[in-house]
Each structure stands twice: as C-alpha cells, then as structure tokens.
Amino acid sequence: MEGTGRGEGGEGDLRLDELDHAVLKALHRGPRAAVAEVATVVGAHERTVRRRLDRMLATGQVFFAAGLVPEYLGEGVTAEVAVRCAPGSVREVAAALAARPETRSVDVATGSLDVFTEFHVSTHAELLELVDGVVGRMAGVVGVTSSLMLQLLMTAGDWAPYDDEPTEVRRCAMEGRPLPEPPELDVLDRKLAGLLLRDARMPTKNLAAELNVGETTARRRLARLLGSHVLHLRLHTEPAFLGYPIEARFRLGVPYSRLDAAVRLLAAEPAIRYLMVTSGPMMLLGYSSHRTLRDFHAFAARVFKGVDCVSDTALLMRSYKRAGFTGPPV
C-alpha cells in the first residue's frame, strides 16, 4: 500500500482563489453549515459554492472529520513511536504502519531513517505487544523508540490559519489553565459520535432517525458535544493546500521548572498546530506549518531561543497518514 502523498507541498493541480478561501474559511468556522448558509456568508450562488466545495473535496486534501478525543476523556494510551528503518525500506515500513487501525499518523522527516508514528490503544500491555511483537518484527525495521503522551495540549483542530482568535483549547494552553472537566458521556452520546465519524455533516433529522430519538433531543445532544472539547468536528485541510507547504516536527528538552512557561510561549504561536507533553527527556513534542523555509527558520530561531531549551527539529518529507485517514474518507 502506498501513502497518500499528503503534505508533500504545493496545492496539487488546484490553485485556490479568493472565493475558494472564503468557502474554506466559512466551513472552518462552521463545518456543519449548509451550503446555502455558506453561500450567503461568502456572497456567491449556492450552486457555485457547491461546485467549488466538491472540487476541493475531490482532491483528498480537504475533508470533514469528526470523533471523540480519548485523551480528553482519559481513555486508552497514546504513544509516539520512532521506527528506525534500514536504508531503502522507509517507504515500505511507513505504508505498512499507515495500514494499521491503531495508527493515527505516520510521517517521514529529515534526519535519521525514522518513521514517526502515533498509536492509540486501550492498554499498556496492548502497546507493548504492538511495539515489540508487531512493529519490531516488521521487515526493514532495525530499531524502535517510544514515548507516552502525558498531556495533550493542542491538536490540528486548534490550528486556525483563517482566524486571529484562538480556540478555547489553545487559549487554555496560552494562559496555563487546565481544560474544563469533560462531560459524562452515555451510550446515546457515543452512538451520536459514531454517526458523526461516519458522516460529520449528517443532517440532524437523519441523526435523530438513526438514534431513534426526537430531532430536538438529537440537536440538544449534538450541541452539548460540540460545545465541549471532547468532540472534534472540523473541516480538515492539508496545510500545503492552504499555502503552508513547510511542515516541521520538533522535540524540546525542557525541565519541569520551565515547562509551564514553555507551553504558554509555544501555544501563543499561530504556526503551531499540534503540541503535547510526553515521557522522556525531550518532553515537548509539536508540529508547525509555514509558508516558506525562511519563515520556518525565523520561527525556530525566535521561538526556541525564547524557550531556552535543547531542541531537535526536522522537516516533514511525506505524510502517509493524518487524522486516522490514509486517503479521502468514504
């Protein structure tokens, strides 16, 4: 299985114009908005907006995604695993890892012959079996290094290139505040989240019919979930598609005495689209997106100097899997 080629840079065969960006901006802010609503916001005919959106969705670099965030619910174990590969085997290993259901993301970056993978599993025992019994035995793998996620600070849903106003999750990280306590979810909530995973824009009346509840109940449950940080429902857009083809991965060695200050500083940087605290000496792991190499260099020189830490940075060469998808979801 080959990778999707997401994150390889450029906008592919489709160059976005002002209207395309306006449509994406509206749907970033309201991913369940009807096409007619978007048309009103952007000042274009509904058929035009639908045609523009369909054209962008067809690239596979834009899609609607939804799902519960288990880290915010305190469920399961998330690990970042660096898989060292023998020369000539990186692509095969990356594709094999991307095909696994436990894998959320698979990236290949500059530097050593490592494939960086994020796994989410139910237990530590399951993680050990996956890392040692499965990944460690793959053809072409010569070493595996793992670290556990201790705290999820920001996700790609908090990267908002169209908005100056930070998301509530990003704001909490910027201000050093804990996230609100997650709501208690019952069977109906989880079934609703499962339906949204299948179709993030499923009409409320269809959700109600699938759940066998009234439309008012479905709408209320949906609003409750969307109002919390435990359900992410968003328009996913590849950074390169929006004009940010340079993606960086960084690990920072920050002592606990300066961790809070480092997190605040990093969270305030709009370029950062993913940030977590992990086990190990390089405990801050993040990803950022930039328009040019010069922008990245300026960002790294300024920000990492402000953090005053040991840093290890790399540029992504290819992403084989993002947000749990290896291609346009169906």
Side-chain angles (χ1 to χ4, degrees):
M1 171 184 172
E2 265 297 331
T4 65
R6 288 182 172 178
E8 291 184 339
E11 295 176 356
D13 296 328
L14 179 61
R15 185 170 297 277
L16 304 184
D17 63 16
E18 185 176 346
L19 179 57
D20 293 321
H21 281 291
V23 170
L24 291 174
K25 179 178 180 178
L27 287 168
H28 269 285
R29 292 176 173 176
R32 284 182 55 82
V35 173
E37 297 176 58
V38 175
T40 299
V41 170
V42 304
H45 195 281
E46 182 177 345
R47 285 197 301 271
T48 300
V49 170
R50 186 178 300 279
R51 185 170 62 250
R52 293 297 186 98
L53 178 58
D54 288 345
R55 183 183 62 166
M56 290 186 285
L57 291 172
T59 68
Q61 298 194 73
V62 176
F63 60 90
F64 294 94
L68 295 172
V69 184
E71 291 85 358
Y72 292 150
L73 291 167
E75 298 175 350
V77 178
T78 302
E80 204 270 342
V81 178
V83 181
R84 175 63 63 85
C85 302
S89 62
V90 168
R91 286 170 290 184
E92 289 74 14
V93 171
L97 289 169
R100 296 201 60 84
E102 309 94 338
T103 307
R104 284 185 178 166
S105 65
V106 178
D107 297 311
V108 176
T110 57
S112 58
L113 291 175
D114 286 341
V115 177
F116 299 103
T117 305
E118 184 177 294
F119 291 118
H120 183 78
V121 293
S122 298
T123 66
H124 289 88
E126 187 178 346
L127 176 63
L128 177 60
E129 172 58 28
L130 177 62
V131 171
D132 185 51
V134 178
V135 178
R137 298 182 180 183
M138 283 184 176
V141 172
V142 298
V144 180
T145 304
S146 63
S147 58
L148 294 183
M149 180 189 291
L150 304 180
Q151 184 181 11
L152 178 60
L153 297 166
M154 295 188 328
T155 73
D158 300 302
W159 183 65
Y162 289 118
D163 294 311
D164 295 329
E165 189 68 19
T167 65
E168 182 59 27
V169 170
R170 184 184 283 269
R171 188 181 295 281
C172 284
M174 290 168 58
E175 298 174 357
R177 294 186 288 113
L179 290 170
E181 284 297 311
E184 292 289 334
L185 303 186
D186 59 19
V187 174
L188 188 62
D189 291 321
R190 292 181 184 275
K191 186 175 180 181
L192 173 57
L195 291 172
L196 294 171
L197 175 63
R198 194 173 78 199
D199 179 2
R201 287 169 58 80
M202 183 181 292
T204 306
K205 65 178 182 179
N206 293 13
L207 290 171
E210 292 274 2
L211 296 170
N212 197 27
V213 299
E215 193 168 338
T216 300
T217 298
R219 184 176 291 107
R220 185 173 64 248
R221 291 291 186 121
L222 177 60
R224 174 172 169 265
L225 284 177
L226 291 175
S228 74
H229 58 288
V230 301
L231 175 70
H232 279 188
L233 194 158
R234 63 192 178 96
L235 177 69
H236 174 99
T237 314
E238 287 296 306
F241 194 69
L242 296 180
Y244 297 83
I246 307 302
E247 297 187 72
R249 176 187 185 277
F250 59 86
R251 271 196 174 278
L252 307 180
V254 181
Y256 272 104
S257 60
R258 297 204 300 270
L259 179 60
D260 182 64
V263 167
R264 291 188 186 206
L265 187 151
L266 291 166
E269 292 290 333
I272 291 180
R273 61 177 176 83
Y274 193 71
L275 190 63
M276 71 169 83
V277 180
T278 73
S279 61
M282 305 291 278
M283 63 189 309
L284 270 178
L285 169 64
Y287 286 78
S288 60
S289 299
H290 310 271
R291 291 192 181 278
T292 66
L293 283 171
R294 179 178 294 179
D295 289 344
F296 166 69
H297 177 66
F299 162 86
R302 173 175 51 82
V303 175
F304 298 153
K305 178 181 177 181
V307 174
D308 188 21
C309 63
V310 177
S311 64
D312 178 18
T313 64
L315 297 177
L316 299 194
M317 293 189 289
R318 183 165 187 174
S319 290
Y320 282 71
K321 193 172 190 177
R322 289 197 206 256
F325 292 108
T326 53
V330 294

